[in-house]
């Protein structure tokens, strides 16, 4: 073969590296020949699939040979009612990653740039780079977004700005007042995307959804997902809320039938399963405190988080610790890719999973006595 196929790809694509998710349980168990591993790497809901969602999925199987509703009519109507917006403002995606990519595809080319923060969700840079646009990465402030510096970074070629609130992988957040202050400074031709994938978990004074600002700022886009608090990660359902003209652009380039029938049915049903959402939020609250207490007893520094994960600083070789945890059947997430080489991101799991992780970590750090006694190292 003499053809260099990589050279035929778009310049932006040539420089991309594939997205690396958390290591699958099946892969680890197959590689090490073990069973009973736990995964605290992908910010999944530890409660598992809601029984309400499961029944809705089962009901769709009779029509499994037919295409889904490509417009997602009933889900859009339900979301519009819940969010007090019009269905014309909604764009459904195969996870919120899909709508983030649609925004880049719809509004960026080689003449444009997009702004986002250091330590922000890696998909922003992937989407921007694939379009051949420039990424303007603003240094973080206390691990979080520096909105004043992000506003100052806007130039004549800026078309998009991404703000994760809360941010993954740091778990940091910005107040609604701060977002409103940013919007007042940003030119109307710059589309500001506020990624609220972890919105449901946050219970902090001053935090609020940017959705309340949409009437005032038509260049604002909010993205959300059913993958986290609603427990539908494997089904991949996300959405964007925007001005109808922005939604029209996104829906022009959205793939036909990008959400399958099972996902549509499950998302529609889970919106009424208030008990599941309440249990998810309460389990996350308790799990967060369990991990924080464990880290404090082990003398480990961590970044306070409002999501369903915590970034904890590991003394010594963090990558080596990640590998040693894998050998003990515990999957967490190294985040050197996010310029955080000394941290591991730990998703909040079931109480027994959290405790197993803490026990294994203590043993590997040779600090098991401190964890048992409650005395900090």
């Amino acid at each position: 073969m003499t053809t260099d196929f990589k050279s035929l790809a778009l310049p932006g694509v040539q420089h991309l590296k594939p997205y690396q998710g958390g290591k699958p349980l099946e892969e680890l168990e197959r590689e090490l020949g073990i069973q009973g591993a736990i995964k605290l790497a992908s910010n999944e809901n530890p409660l598992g699939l809601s029984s309400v969602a499961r029944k809705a999925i089962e009901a769709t199987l009779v029509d499994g040979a037919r295409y889904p509703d490509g417009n997602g009519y009933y889900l859009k109507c339900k979301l519009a009612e819940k969010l007090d917006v019009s269905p014309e403002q909604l764009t459904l995606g195969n996870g919120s990653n899909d709508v983030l990519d649609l925004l880049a595809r719809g509004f960026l080319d080689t003449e444009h740039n997009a702004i986002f923060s250091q330590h922000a969700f890696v998909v922003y840079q992937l989407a921007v780079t694939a379009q051949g646009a420039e990424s303007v990465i603003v240094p973080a402030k206390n691990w979080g977004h520096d909105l004043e510096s992000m506003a100052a970074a806007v130039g004549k070629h800026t078309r998009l700005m991404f703000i994760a609130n809360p941010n993954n992988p740091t778990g940091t957040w910005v107040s609604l007042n701060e977002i409103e202050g940013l919007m007042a400074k940003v030119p109307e031709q710059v589309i500001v995307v506020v990624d609220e994938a972890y919105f449901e978990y946050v219970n902090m004074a001053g935090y609020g959804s940017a959705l309340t600002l949409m009437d005032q700022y038509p260049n604002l886009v909010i993205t959300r997902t059913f993958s986290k608090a609603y427990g539908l990660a494997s089904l991949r359902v996300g959405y964007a809320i925007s001005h109808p003209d922005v939604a029209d652009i996104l829906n022009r380039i959205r793939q036909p039938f990008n959400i399958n029938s099972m996902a549509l049915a499950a998302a529609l049903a889970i919106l009424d399963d208030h008990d599941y959402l309440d249990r998810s939020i309460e389990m996350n609250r308790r799990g967060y405190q369990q991990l924080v207490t464990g880290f404090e007893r082990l003398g480990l520094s961590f970044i306070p988080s409002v999501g369903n994960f915590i970034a904890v600083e590991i003394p010594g070789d963090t990558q080596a610790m990640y590998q040693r945890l894998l050998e003990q059947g515990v999957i967490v997430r190294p985040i050197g890719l996010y310029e955080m080489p000394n941290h591991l991101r730990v998703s909040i799991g079931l109480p027994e999973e959290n405790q197993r992780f803490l026990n294994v970590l203590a043993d590997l750090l040779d600090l098991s006595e401190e964890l048992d006694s409650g005395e900090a190292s």
Side-chain angles (χ1 to χ4, degrees):
M1 184 183 76
T2 58
T3 301
D4 181 4
F5 291 108
K6 289 184 179 179
S7 69
L8 302 180
L10 296 175
V13 176
Q14 291 182 35
H15 294 93
L16 285 180
K17 294 182 179 179
Y19 176 81
Q20 296 292 326
K23 193 176 187 69
L25 279 169
E26 299 85 351
E27 181 179 318
L28 177 66
E29 293 181 345
R30 183 177 66 250
E31 288 177 352
L32 299 185
I34 62 175
Q35 292 183 338
I38 61 171
K39 183 182 179 185
L40 303 176
S42 298
N43 302 345
E44 296 152 334
N45 191 320
L47 283 181
L49 187 64
S50 154
S51 60
V52 172
R54 185 187 301 274
K55 290 178 182 177
I57 291 168
E58 291 171 350
T60 70
L61 297 180
V62 66
D63 290 322
R66 298 189 182 278
Y67 285 109
D69 172 10
N71 186 46
Y73 174 81
Y74 291 108
L75 180 55
K76 281 186 175 180
C77 288
K78 187 78 172 181
L79 282 170
E81 179 184 7
K82 176 181 174 63
L83 302 172
D84 194 24
V85 299
S86 71
E88 290 74 24
Q89 291 179 263
L90 296 169
T91 306
L92 300 181
N94 186 34
S96 58
N97 283 15
D98 191 20
V99 292
L100 294 170
D101 185 63
L102 289 175
L103 285 157
R105 288 172 52 202
F107 294 100
L108 294 177
D109 65 19
T110 56
E111 298 179 356
H112 302 129
N113 69 52
I115 297 171
F116 49 90
S117 177
Q118 180 189 21
H119 313 311
F121 187 33
V122 70
V123 165
Y124 308 150
Q125 187 163 16
L126 291 177
V128 172
T129 303
Q131 293 304 114
E134 178 189 5
S135 293
V136 178
I137 304 174
V138 176
K141 183 178 181 180
N142 297 323
W143 299 108
H145 289 59
D146 183 347
L147 295 191
E148 289 189 7
S149 295
M150 292 177 73
V154 173
K156 64 179 181 179
H157 299 296
T158 303
R159 187 61 61 83
L160 287 176
M161 179 184 291
F162 293 97
I163 300 169
N165 196 34
N167 183 56
N168 170 30
T170 61
T172 52
W173 61 283
V174 293
S175 71
L176 183 60
N177 286 340
E178 289 177 283
I179 294 177
E180 186 171 12
L182 170 81
M183 295 304 302
K185 299 175 184 177
V186 171
E188 62 181 8
Q189 69 270 19
V190 176
I191 297 172
V192 178
V193 183
V194 181
D195 180 352
E196 296 184 348
Y198 301 92
F199 162 79
E200 291 85 1
Y201 289 115
V202 188
N203 182 22
M204 298 291 287
Y207 180 87
S209 173
L211 184 62
T212 60
L213 303 175
M214 286 204 67
D215 289 343
Q216 186 176 355
Y217 299 102
N219 57 325
L220 184 59
V221 177
I222 291 91
T223 63
R224 291 189 184 172
T225 184
F226 285 88
S227 295
K228 309 303 180 185
Y230 286 107
L232 301 182
S234 69
L235 293 172
R236 313 301 300 127
V237 192
Y239 57 97
I241 314 145
S242 66
H243 187 278
D245 290 350
V246 174
D248 177 59
I249 295 297
L250 301 182
N251 282 307
R252 292 182 192 188
I253 57 177
R254 179 179 56 83
Q255 290 293 313
F257 312 116
N258 64 330
I259 309 220
N260 66 68
S261 297
M262 292 182 290
L264 287 170
L268 185 64
I270 197 69
L271 285 172
D272 287 327
D273 194 349
H274 306 296
D275 176 67
Y276 178 86
L277 181 61
D278 290 344
R279 288 189 295 120
S280 297
I281 293 169
E282 177 61 15
M283 175 165 284
N284 189 72
R285 185 190 67 80
R286 291 176 179 271
Y288 177 82
Q289 190 56 54
Q290 182 183 8
L291 288 177
V292 164
T293 299
F295 294 150
E296 289 174 343
R297 289 176 176 174
L298 293 174
L300 298 177
S301 298
F302 60 91
I303 303 172
S305 171
V306 294
N308 65 341
F309 54 87
I310 309 176
V312 58
E313 188 172 358
I314 301 297
D317 189 333
T318 304
Q319 187 64 30
M321 176 60 74
Y322 165 68
Q323 293 295 334
R324 294 172 71 190
L325 285 165
L326 289 181
E327 292 166 4
Q328 297 298 315
V330 177
I331 307 173
V332 293
R333 187 72 178 272
I335 46 178
L337 176 66
Y338 290 91
E339 299 184 11
M340 300 174 67
N342 300 319
H343 287 80
L344 293 174
R345 191 193 69 190
V346 184
S347 302
I348 297 169
L350 297 170
E352 58 270 26
E353 293 174 327
N354 300 330
Q355 194 59 53
R356 177 174 165 185
F357 159 70
L358 289 170
N359 291 343
V360 171
L361 181 63
D363 286 342
L364 294 176
L365 292 169
D366 196 23
L367 293 170
S368 55
E369 291 184 4
E370 282 82 351
L371 189 64
D372 291 339
S373 66
E375 296 174 357
S377 159

